[in-house]
């Protein structure tokens, strides 16, 4: 492994994790450059969600080092706060706060974590809600929105913290087919603006369009990685070939 | 070649209205639908009617409302003795209501107790209104509770000093339950959070031990410990008074039960809520205060109010350590020889007072659930 270069946004070096006897991440080493867009794919249970959740320490890795934006992830809470402030995350199940309005969902963290004045936080939130094309829903509650709208709010909520890196954990897997596009369009426009992104997704069209690199995981290890073109047109391993044939059969 | 059919959407129609049944029709289908249904209806109807008629006859028609007093000013219960067994003797209430409400509080100062009751009611009403739910409410609480303390003790502003062992009746019940729940609830939230702590095993252990120990003993034994055993361990002269000790026992007991209710609410929240708060960089207390507790407490309003109501009535157990709460006052009022035979009337009145408070709590919680539930319905 080459030494982690200073310009990288995220560096993982020989990361290992176990859930009890289950070895879910095995010697994972990778780095994500600034403004790089990475798509992680792989069969279910391959450890891709665990990997992305380790990056902002929703899961704790047991071996190896993870360095995010120059700060190493350890038990040090202050370092963790710094990292979480700069890393936005979008979940498969949206995880909006149902007791708060859309606007409050977006302004909560800037007000409490970034200590932003309320008026400023609201202005930023409205700007980002406009960007994800739902400013008119600001006063509603999450339960009144469709799945696609909720996921776009979740993206706006993460962006309100002005993160340097965005993590997406299967953002379209819980959505009805006709709503997937609106969320992907939002993510594509975010990518075009130069955001550093790590996405766990099965949307191969999205990977083709925006990813600089695709990482294929299976059984807790990185099996293959490369540009979308290399990966999809000329897969090197039988495992990736099998995965692609399975995933493309439905398309 | 396929041709495109221009499909015109079907216009929406209103839901057909159910024909409402007339009262006669309703009764025939619901009360006399079958032979068995008719028999049960008739039997229940007969007993209900008989009980209601009997009660009205006893309580209102054959009852005695006042009795004459003789030349020396002593009450003569003969009128009551005549109707004994057939009519209620409300004269006992008429004679004793001030003792029942205020206990042994000096007779001429009982207006202070009345104001205290009114202040408590005002406090409850204000706290119940959502438009007063802001920081200032805490100051209102402090102000009103201080005023209540001043009124009860006196000794300032020209008020006669009344020692605590003379306090009694409804003010004591309200003091024990209001202070009890006001302190027990925040304590319960902390204990519930502590019990779920993953990073502080010592705190978790203490919380578990506290809940298990306190929940495992009857309130009566805790009250006994507070009133009898606790003073033995304290140096002479450094002994908080009996009311305060009972109050602390009630707070500790209530908090253990409420903590388990709150824990149920915490467990009902999906893990994603915790993760989303973490991912946004909120600190532990921000996460709990802004995201987790507001949702968790909402879901447990029914069991929470259930526990509140239970504890309001459980304060009457202080009877056994000789604190003059509402129930004790009623019991002592009956000790007077001429009224000894009329306990039913007194206990009915006590039940009515307790019922009013508990019913108000239950109705309020229903309204609150509906109002808070509006935004969270998913």
């Amino acid at each position: 492994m080459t030494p982690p270069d200073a310009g990288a946004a995220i560096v993982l070096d020989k990361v290992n994790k176990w859930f009890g006897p289950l070895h879910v991440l095995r010697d994972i080493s990778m780095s994500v450059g600034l403004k790089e867009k990475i798509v992680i794919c792989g069969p279910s249970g391959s450890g891709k969600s665990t990997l992305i959740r380790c990056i902002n320490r929703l899961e704790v890795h047991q071996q190896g080092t993870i360095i995010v934006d120059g700060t190493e992830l350890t038990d040090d809470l202050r370092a963790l706060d710094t990292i979480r402030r700069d890393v936005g995350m979008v979940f498969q199940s949206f995880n909006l706060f149902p007791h708060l309005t859309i606007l409050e969902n977006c302004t909560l963290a800037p007000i409490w974590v970034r200590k932003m004045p309320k008026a400023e936080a609201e202005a930023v939130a409205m700007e980002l809600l406009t960007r994800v094309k739902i400013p008119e829903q600001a006063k509603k509650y999450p339960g009144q929105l469709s799945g696609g709208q909720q996921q776009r709010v979740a993206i706006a909520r993460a962006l309100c913290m002005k993160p340097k890196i965005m993590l997406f954990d299967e953002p379209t897997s819980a959505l009805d087919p006709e709503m997937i596009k609106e969320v992907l369009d939002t993510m594509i426009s975010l990518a075009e603006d130069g955001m550093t992104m790590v996405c766990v997704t099965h949307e191969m069209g999205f990977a083709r369009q925006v990813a600089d690199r695709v990482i294929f995981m299976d059984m807790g290890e990185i099996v293959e990685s490369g540009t979308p073109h290399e990966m999809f047109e000329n897969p090197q391993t039988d495992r990736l070939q099998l995965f692609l044939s399975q995933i493309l059969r439905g398309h | 070649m396929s041709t495109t059919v221009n499909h015109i959407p079907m216009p929406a129609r209103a839901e057909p209205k159910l024909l409402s049944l007339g009262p006669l029709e309703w009764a025939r289908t619901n009360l006399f639908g079958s032979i068995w249904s008719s028999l049960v209806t008739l039997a229940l109807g007969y007993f209900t009617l008989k009980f209601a008629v009997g009660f009205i006859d006893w309580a209102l028609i054959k009852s005695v409302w006042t009795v004459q007093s003789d030349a020396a000013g002593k009450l003569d219960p003969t009128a009551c003795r005549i109707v004994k067994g057939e009519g209620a003797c409300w004269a006992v209430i008429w004679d004793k209501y001030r003792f029942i409400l205020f206990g042994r509080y000096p007779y001429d100062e009982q207006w202070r107790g009345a104001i205290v009751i009114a202040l408590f009611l005002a406090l409850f009403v204000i706290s119940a209104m959502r438009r007063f739910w802001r920081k200032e409410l805490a100051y209102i609480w402090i102000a009103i509770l201080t005023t209540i303390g001043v009124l009860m003790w006196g000794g300032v502003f020209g008020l006669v000093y009344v020692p605590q062992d003379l306090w009694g009746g409804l003010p004591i019940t309200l003091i024990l339950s209001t202070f009890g729940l006001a302190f027990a609830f925040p304590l319960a939230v902390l204990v519930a959070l502590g019990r779920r702590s993953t990073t502080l095993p010592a705190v978790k252990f203490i919380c578990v031990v506290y809940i298990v120990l306190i929940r495992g003993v009857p309130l009566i034994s805790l009250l006994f410990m507070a009133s009898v055993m606790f003073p033995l361990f304290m140096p002479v002269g450094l002994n908080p008074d009996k009311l305060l000790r009972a109050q602390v026992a009630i707070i500790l007991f209530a908090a253990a039960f409420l903590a388990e209710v709150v824990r149920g609410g915490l467990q009902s929240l999906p893990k994603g809520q915790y993760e989303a708060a973490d991912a946004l960089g909120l600190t532990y207390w921000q996460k709990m205060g802004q995201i987790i507790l507001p949702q968790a407490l909402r879901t447990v309003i029914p069991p929470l109010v259930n526990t509140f109501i239970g504890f309001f009535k459980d304060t009457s157990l202080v009877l056994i350590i000789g604190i003059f709460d509402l129930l004790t006052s009623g019991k002592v009022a009956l000790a007077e020889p001429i009224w000894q035979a009329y306990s039913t009337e007194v206990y009915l009145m006590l039940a009515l007072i307790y019922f009013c408070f508990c019913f108000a709590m239950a109705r309020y919680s229903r309204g609150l659930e509906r109002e808070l539930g509006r935004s969270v319905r998913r």
Side-chain angles (χ1 to χ4, degrees):
Chain A
M1 182 70 196
T2 50
D5 63 305
I10 305 169
V11 179
L12 283 80
D13 189 19
K14 294 223 183 295
V15 172
N16 279 281
K17 175 165 181 64
W18 289 263
F19 284 131
L22 215 63
H23 194 176
V24 285
L25 294 181
R26 307 179 184 182
D27 280 348
I28 301 284
S29 294
M30 60 180 267
S31 78
V32 181
L34 276 177
K35 302 201 175 182
E36 201 179 5
K37 287 109 192 105
I38 304 271
V39 163
I40 302 176
C41 60
S44 74
S46 59
K48 52 196 193 307
S49 277
T50 310
L51 173 64
I52 203 173
R53 288 158 59 86
C54 277
I55 295 176
N56 67 351
R57 215 173 170 76
L58 288 181
E59 303 286 358
V60 178
H61 62 286
Q62 285 129 344
Q63 273 179 8
T65 50
I66 302 178
I67 298 172
V68 180
D69 195 28
T71 314
E72 189 183 343
L73 275 176
T74 56
D75 286 331
D76 179 15
L77 284 177
R78 203 167 307 156
L80 182 60
D81 282 345
T82 321
I83 287 167
R84 283 184 172 162
R85 222 173 293 157
D86 290 334
V87 177
M89 181 145 192
V90 176
F91 299 87
Q92 179 178 352
S93 49
F94 327 138
N95 293 347
L96 293 178
F97 306 130
H99 64 301
L100 300 177
T101 63
I102 301 305
L103 189 62
E104 288 166 342
N105 262 280
C106 292
T107 57
L108 184 94
I111 290 173
W112 287 92
V113 181
R114 288 237 186 265
K115 312 286 178 210
M116 203 186 273
K118 192 174 175 216
E120 190 189 334
E122 284 182 351
V124 170
M126 283 314 292
E127 190 191 313
L128 286 162
L129 286 173
T130 310
R131 187 171 163 179
V132 300
K133 303 194 178 66
I134 33 177
E136 71 282 358
Q137 314 283 0
K139 296 285 177 224
K140 289 194 184 164
Y141 287 91
Q144 297 166 290
L145 269 56
S146 74
Q149 289 174 323
Q150 290 195 43
Q151 193 60 297
R152 282 185 283 155
V153 171
I155 294 173
R157 176 176 73 178
L159 291 177
C160 280
M161 285 293 282
K162 306 268 181 216
K164 296 177 184 158
I165 301 165
M166 284 286 283
L167 308 175
F168 293 84
D169 186 5
E170 304 206 27
T172 55
S173 302
L175 294 175
D176 291 335
E178 74 265 31
M179 294 173 182
I180 291 178
K181 189 179 175 303
E182 61 188 54
V183 171
L184 287 181
D185 284 347
T186 309
M187 289 166 64
I188 290 168
S189 94
L190 197 59
E192 284 165 354
D193 283 4
M195 175 66 77
T196 308
M197 291 164 69
V198 180
C199 313
V200 172
T201 181
H202 291 142
E203 295 297 327
M204 291 304 138
F206 172 78
R208 245 179 245 276
Q209 197 176 342
V210 305
D212 298 314
R213 211 143 40 97
V214 175
I215 290 174
F216 171 65
M217 285 183 74
D218 193 15
M219 314 275 285
E221 56 184 347
I222 295 180
V223 176
E224 207 175 327
S225 73
T227 65
H229 186 78
E230 291 165 7
M231 296 281 284
F232 298 147
E233 308 308 330
N234 191 15
Q236 300 293 314
T237 57
D238 52 345
R239 282 200 266 180
L240 177 55
Q241 281 168 10
L242 179 69
F243 175 70
L244 287 175
S245 72
Q246 281 168 339
I247 219 176
L248 296 176
R249 196 179 298 151
H251 288 250
Chain B
M1 281 294 282
S2 65
T3 50
T4 313
V5 178
N6 194 5
H7 178 80
I8 300 161
M10 187 188 284
R13 287 191 300 262
E15 184 188 14
K17 276 210 182 68
L18 280 175
L19 297 171
S20 61
L21 300 172
L24 266 179
E25 192 66 17
W26 182 88
R28 222 182 60 183
T29 46
N30 291 299
L31 300 178
F32 300 98
S34 67
I35 290 186
W36 280 108
S37 171
S38 309
L39 283 177
V40 171
T41 302
L42 285 176
L44 283 178
Y46 173 75
F47 286 117
T48 312
L49 209 64
K50 194 166 158 58
F51 177 80
V53 166
F55 182 78
I56 289 170
D57 190 46
W58 175 81
L60 300 176
I61 296 170
K62 295 204 178 122
S63 55
V64 174
W65 295 88
T66 51
V67 289
Q68 306 289 319
S69 48
D70 61 17
K74 286 197 77 176
L75 289 173
D76 173 20
T78 321
C80 277
R81 216 168 290 146
I82 294 168
V83 298
K84 178 74 183 143
E86 288 167 31
C89 174
W90 298 117
V92 57
I93 306 290
W94 187 242
D95 180 38
K96 284 290 175 193
Y97 78 96
R98 283 184 64 167
F99 186 84
I100 294 170
L101 283 180
F102 305 112
R104 292 179 299 165
Y105 208 79
Y107 195 82
D108 290 332
E109 302 293 328
Q110 284 177 0
W111 57 271
R112 283 154 57 175
I115 294 179
V116 164
I117 293 172
L119 281 175
F120 267 122
L121 294 179
L123 187 62
F124 299 153
V125 169
I126 290 173
S127 310
M129 286 196 234
R130 286 196 80 191
R131 86 179 98 124
F132 291 111
W133 287 8
R134 50 179 106 166
K135 265 191 216 122
E136 290 81 356
L137 189 59
Y139 302 125
I140 294 181
W141 269 73
I142 293 169
I144 291 190
L145 292 182
T146 314
T147 316
I148 284 171
V150 169
L151 278 168
M152 290 301 286
W153 265 299
V156 285
F157 307 125
L159 295 170
V160 182
Y161 173 70
V162 180
Q164 220 169 49
D165 40 319
L166 288 184
W167 298 8
L170 190 53
I172 284 282
T173 295
L174 293 178
I175 286 171
L176 284 175
S177 50
T178 309
F179 278 93
L181 292 174
F183 283 94
F185 185 59
L187 180 61
V189 170
L190 290 180
V191 171
L193 291 178
R195 185 166 185 178
R196 279 175 63 82
S197 170
T198 46
T199 48
L200 302 168
V203 172
K204 180 177 178 165
F205 178 76
I206 292 170
C207 292
V208 171
V209 168
Y210 165 72
I211 292 174
V212 169
L213 273 187
I214 300 276
R215 264 202 325 177
V217 296
L219 177 55
I220 290 189
S221 65
L222 261 190
L223 288 171
F224 262 126
M225 271 192 258
S227 79
V228 183
M229 272 170 62
F230 186 72
L232 299 179
F233 304 132
M234 295 298 283
V236 183
L238 220 171
N239 203 6
D241 64 74
K242 191 157 72 174
L243 187 65
L244 183 61
R245 279 181 273 134
Q247 180 76 79
V248 171
I250 285 175
I251 289 171
L252 290 179
F253 195 69
F257 276 83
L258 290 171
E260 287 297 277
V261 174
V262 173
R263 190 167 71 98
L266 292 174
Q267 270 171 349
S268 74
L269 280 195
K271 212 171 128 220
Q273 292 292 308
Y274 291 85
E275 290 179 348
D278 282 337
L280 284 169
L282 296 177
T283 65
Y284 177 82
W285 291 108
Q286 287 168 346
K287 173 172 70 177
M288 288 305 162
Q290 301 293 323
I291 309 296
I292 306 300
L293 284 174
Q295 296 185 64
L297 294 181
R298 246 169 241 205
T299 54
V300 292
I301 290 175
L304 218 47
V305 173
N306 192 28
T307 315
F308 279 12
I309 289 176
F311 271 99
F312 179 71
K313 293 180 295 180
D314 278 357
T315 55
S316 59
L317 288 173
V318 296
L319 172 107
I320 58 139
I321 55 168
I323 289 175
F324 252 73
D325 79 318
L326 186 60
L327 187 68
T328 318
S329 310
K331 228 174 123 71
V332 172
L334 285 169
E336 199 164 319
I338 59 167
W339 298 129
Q340 263 171 7
Y342 305 100
S343 55
T344 314
E345 288 82 347
V346 170
Y347 284 128
L348 266 178
M349 177 190 163
L350 295 179
L352 186 69
I353 294 174
Y354 277 109
F355 178 80
C356 287
F357 281 98
C358 295
F359 186 67
M361 273 192 264
R363 286 309 298 249
Y364 175 67
S365 90
R366 266 182 57 185
L368 197 61
E369 261 171 76
R370 213 171 303 144
E371 206 174 323
L372 292 179
R374 218 175 281 155
S375 63
V376 245
R377 214 151 284 148
R378 278 179 262 202

